[in-house]
Amino acid sequence: MRRHRTRTAGEPTIALINIVFLMLIFFLVAGTLAAPLDAALRLVNTADLEGSAPADALVLHANGRMTHRGADITSVADFVAGLPQDARARVRIVPDRALPAAMLIAKGRSLREVGAQRVVIVTERGLE
């Protein structure tokens, strides 16, 4: 009589690695890393703002005029100089929908040059 050999059960690590790799490829192809922007996305229109902007935000109108708490601002340097020191860490701007993008970028760059550490653009989604 011969003895039966007891088989040692090996772990199927190669099969597991293959399955995980295939799942990774599937989710990379099937999914998106960021959701696409909605076609109905509309930015804030400051003509209908009626005082609902954040209190510390700089409002940029379509014609390039700047206001803060309803008062006209002549330059971004004056705006940043009027802010408390802790508010300069994050400066918020509310752009008009019709404001040219080049002007928005220029104002943001100017804010950074005069001491704003981080510039945040405040927008909202239209729920149409």
Side-chain angles (χ1 to χ4, degrees), residues 80 85 88-89 91 109-118:
V80 173
Q85 191 65 30
R88 294 179 190 179
V91 175
R109 189 172 288 134
S110 298
L111 284 166
R112 294 289 306 256
E113 289 172 356
V114 295
Q117 296 173 3
R118 185 172 169 206

Side-chain angles (χ1 to χ4, degrees), residues 1 14 27 42 51 54 69 80 88 92-93 108 110 118-119 121 128:
M1 293 197 85
I14 298 297
F27 285 115
R42 297 179 61 161
R69 296 183 181 179
V80 173
R88 294 179 190 179
R92 295 191 280 183
I93 50 179
S110 298
R118 185 172 169 206
V119 178
I121 300 171
E128 298 176 2

